[in-house]
Amino acid sequence: LGANREFKVLRDNDCLPITIEEEKMPHLTACVCFNATGYVIKPMIIVPNLSKPKSLSEFQNECLFTTSATGWMTKPLFLAFVIHFISEITKYRLQLPEKLKEQKVLLIVDGHSSRYTPEALILLKKFNIDMLVLPPHCTHCVQPFDVAIASSLKTHFKKLIGSSYNTIKD
């Protein structure tokens, strides 16, 4: 694992250090959920200002796109994500053996202030889903997904859409 304050990547020890050129690109947020068996829920991608990079259009069937003024998660968007999560988990539970269908689900999230949404917490409780909130500003240290996967994914994603960032209105 190679890292500095702004960049983490899994790489072979024999590789030269990897650097990123500074690019002017908007902030995007991705909500990606998966379980230990490899089941992945359709990701929710938050893009800024009702616009979407043209290069993301090819993913519209694989992702749920939404927007905020800055591209960051907000309380209303977290509620929308919870509704999406509950819908996907309900479909997933239908595939499970009878004895597992009603087992609790654990949703692990970072400590961002948008997670403290009473309506979302009530909905999760009604659908037998517990939410574990990790301490704010430390998921890069305590959440293996952030450390091992997300940073590399973000780097690849930025490279994929970075230089050709053109927006289209939805």
Side-chain angles (χ1 to χ4, degrees):
L1 177 67
N4 66 28
R5 289 178 91 44
E6 299 170 3
F7 181 72
K8 297 179 192 86
V9 65
L10 293 173
R11 63 178 175 84
D12 187 341
N13 281 336
D14 297 331
C15 293
L16 295 173
I18 299 171
T19 59
I20 298 178
E21 293 179 13
E22 191 66 34
E23 295 180 3
K24 298 291 182 195
M25 197 168 86
H27 178 82
L28 302 175
T29 300
C31 304
V32 183
C33 294
F34 55 91
N35 68 13
T37 66
Y39 181 80
V40 180
I41 290 176
K42 184 186 271 193
M44 185 172 101
I45 310 294
I46 303 169
V47 295
N49 298 324
L50 295 171
S51 61
K52 181 171 55 178
K54 286 182 181 179
S55 53
L56 294 180
S57 295
E58 66 184 271
F59 301 107
Q60 62 191 17
N61 292 329
E62 289 84 28
C63 299
L64 173 66
F65 287 98
T66 188
T67 187
S68 72
T70 60
W72 290 93
M73 178 64 81
T74 63
K75 286 184 178 188
L77 285 179
F78 184 69
L79 178 58
F81 168 74
V82 165
I83 293 168
H84 169 66
F85 181 78
I86 289 169
S87 171
E88 293 289 321
I89 286 297
T90 301
K91 286 191 290 186
Y92 175 70
R93 282 177 165 160
L94 293 174
Q95 303 169 20
L96 296 174
E98 218 43 57
K99 65 181 181 177
L100 297 177
K101 285 184 180 181
E102 296 305 317
Q103 292 290 314
K104 280 196 180 278
V105 169
L106 178 63
L107 174 62
I108 303 172
V109 298
D110 63 16
H112 188 266
S113 61
S114 65
R115 310 311 182 250
Y116 303 100
T117 308
E119 299 87 355
L121 297 174
I122 291 167
L123 281 172
L124 290 169
K125 184 78 171 166
K126 285 184 184 260
F127 284 88
N128 205 20
I129 301 169
D130 286 341
M131 185 170 76
L132 171 65
V133 180
L134 298 173
H137 307 293
C138 68
T139 56
H140 63 285
C141 299
V142 298
Q143 191 174 24
F145 174 78
D146 280 0
V147 174
I149 299 169
S151 293
S152 297
L153 180 63
K154 288 177 188 178
T155 300
H156 177 73
F157 194 66
K158 284 179 181 179
K159 185 177 178 182
L160 177 68
I161 68 167
S163 59
S164 64
Y165 183 77
N166 295 314
T167 59
I168 57 172
K169 298 292 180 192
D170 287 335

